[in-house]
Amino acid sequence: MMNSTMRKHLFTWGACFLLLSVLAACSRSESAFSDEPVKPSEQTTKSYTTQTNEVIEIPTHPQRVIYLGSALGDLLAMDIPVVGANLIHASESYIEDRLESMEDVGNPGDLETITALQPDLILNGYTQDADRNAAFSKIAPTIPFNSALPFTERVHELGNIFGKQNEAEQWISRFDTKAEAMWDKLNVAEGETATIFLQLGKQLYVMGNRSLGVVLYQEHGFAIPPAIQHNIIDKNLTFVELSEELLPKYAGDHLFVLTLDNDESRAESDRLLQSTLWKTLPAVQQGRVYTASADWNTDSLLALEQLLDELPKWMNR
């Protein structure tokens, strides 16, 4: 039989084991049901030089990104984990099915909403607003992001920020290959020109070589009408407002008419397409007019990917 001292030691060890088991169970229970948000684990960082030549520390692999600006499609095309954005710029058909898990943070960005999302990186497309940029920087590292850059430069910028340099090169390579195949299918004759007209309300614009022009005026695509080259591109403009009497001056061999999706814009576009002057244009008489939503007047990466499929459909080829 055990002596009394041994029995006391066994009893003490058993009680301690039971107490530790209970405490461990309680700890697991509290962790499972706690209302406190789980904080992201510590990340490694890297130095990054912004487009305004400021050197800042950013996460090496950001996981909770806030984007503010008009180029959300760029980030989605690059599979960047965006948890919040100002969705006022995200109503286009090519993007709307990608927004289910994304929070609308308002325009140009509500500080309280952004803070609650616990971002580890903010991309601020409103680079001219220094005060706003400083306020965002108190929440998370903030990078000014110029959405007006040519799309190839934006791809490389995103690759550098998110450590996706290889993916950026692969995206451009895929786009170029697919674009060349599209132009082979469309079989545009050398020197054949095209013009993009944009109807926004009562205002009519003619576009240069940005937005949809990025696709139309590629190496194997349409040539640029002289008036567009001289009055828009050579002057480093994106577009010019146009009075209807100048239509013949800017009209190419093919006409792309993009209309904003509202009643006023559609009514003005319909009136233009029925006007006497419009019907005198050679492209109209030859049935080379293609109409589409103004949503496609963009060089967002996500849109560019889809435009290579859409353009042949517009032209029935």
Side-chain angles (χ1 to χ4, degrees):
M1 294 182 64
M2 298 182 185
N3 61 38
S4 58
T5 301
M6 180 66 71
R7 284 198 299 270
K8 287 181 180 178
H9 285 168
L10 288 175
F11 177 82
T12 301
W13 293 338
C16 289
F17 179 79
L18 180 61
L19 178 60
L20 290 172
S21 299
V22 171
L23 289 174
C26 290
S27 176
R28 287 193 299 270
S29 176
E30 287 177 4
S31 175
F33 294 101
S34 174
D35 290 331
E36 290 295 320
V38 178
K39 294 183 179 180
S41 58
E42 291 295 322
Q43 293 186 340
T44 58
T45 63
K46 63 181 180 182
S47 296
Y48 184 80
T49 303
T50 71
Q51 294 168 345
T52 55
N53 291 319
E54 180 185 2
V55 179
I56 62 174
E57 289 293 311
I58 65 172
T60 305
H61 300 290
Q63 296 300 312
R64 298 186 62 79
V65 178
I66 298 289
Y67 175 71
L68 303 164
S70 59
L72 177 60
D74 290 1
L75 281 75
L76 296 178
M78 294 285 286
D79 292 323
I80 290 166
V82 180
V83 296
N86 51 339
L87 299 185
I88 189 174
H89 296 298
S91 60
E92 298 88 351
S93 58
Y94 60 81
I95 201 174
E96 58 187 6
D97 62 344
R98 303 283 297 270
L99 307 176
E100 291 182 2
S101 60
M102 199 176 301
E103 184 83 15
D104 188 353
V105 300
N107 192 54
D110 179 74
L111 299 178
E112 186 175 338
T113 303
I114 292 172
T115 301
L117 288 171
Q118 297 183 318
D120 53 14
L121 185 67
I122 299 173
L123 263 61
N124 180 20
Y126 302 104
T127 55
Q128 73 280 9
D129 191 340
D131 291 340
R132 203 75 179 167
N133 203 66
F136 294 143
S137 296
K138 294 178 181 178
I139 301 172
T142 300
I143 297 177
F145 185 78
N146 185 0
S147 59
L149 290 172
F151 80 94
T152 52
E153 293 184 34
R154 299 199 315 267
V155 173
H156 285 126
E157 179 77 358
L158 290 173
N160 292 334
I161 293 171
F162 292 96
K164 290 175 171 277
Q165 290 89 344
N166 290 338
E167 290 92 331
E169 292 295 341
Q170 291 167 5
W171 191 97
I172 292 173
S173 178
R174 285 195 307 270
F175 179 78
D176 288 344
T177 300
K178 188 174 180 180
E180 187 171 351
M182 181 196 71
W183 289 117
D184 286 344
K185 177 181 179 180
L186 293 178
N187 194 27
V188 173
E190 185 175 354
E192 203 169 345
T193 59
T195 301
I196 306 163
F197 292 117
L198 177 66
Q199 188 75 57
L200 302 180
K202 293 184 179 297
Q203 279 70 51
L204 179 66
Y205 301 90
V206 60
M207 302 299 302
N209 60 347
R210 299 293 300 273
S211 301
L212 178 59
V214 165
V215 174
L216 291 190
Y217 300 136
Q218 287 180 305
E219 181 180 355
H220 302 288
F222 292 109
I224 301 171
I228 293 176
Q229 182 68 51
H230 300 326
N231 298 311
I232 301 178
I233 298 172
D234 288 349
K235 295 181 179 180
N236 200 29
L237 299 174
T238 303
F239 57 85
V240 294
E241 188 172 349
L242 195 66
S243 56
E244 288 186 23
E245 62 267 21
L246 293 178
L247 283 171
K249 178 180 179 180
Y250 286 89
D253 299 318
H254 297 258
L255 305 179
F256 293 81
V257 182
L258 308 181
T259 304
L260 191 64
D261 293 327
N262 62 42
D263 292 341
E264 182 181 50
S265 300
R266 284 189 289 267
E268 285 295 316
S269 183
D270 290 344
R271 185 193 60 76
L272 174 67
L273 299 184
Q274 296 302 319
S275 68
T276 301
L277 180 58
W278 180 262
K279 292 178 180 179
T280 67
L281 300 177
V284 177
Q285 296 174 350
Q286 295 167 16
R288 294 177 170 180
V289 177
Y290 321 107
T291 58
S293 168
D295 285 355
W296 294 105
N297 190 48
T298 177
D299 65 351
S300 159
L301 304 188
L302 200 63
L304 289 178
E305 292 174 342
Q306 298 178 46
L307 270 169
L308 299 181
D309 294 321
E310 291 294 321
L311 191 58
K313 295 177 185 177
W314 297 353
M315 300 180 67
N316 295 316
R317 295 187 185 183

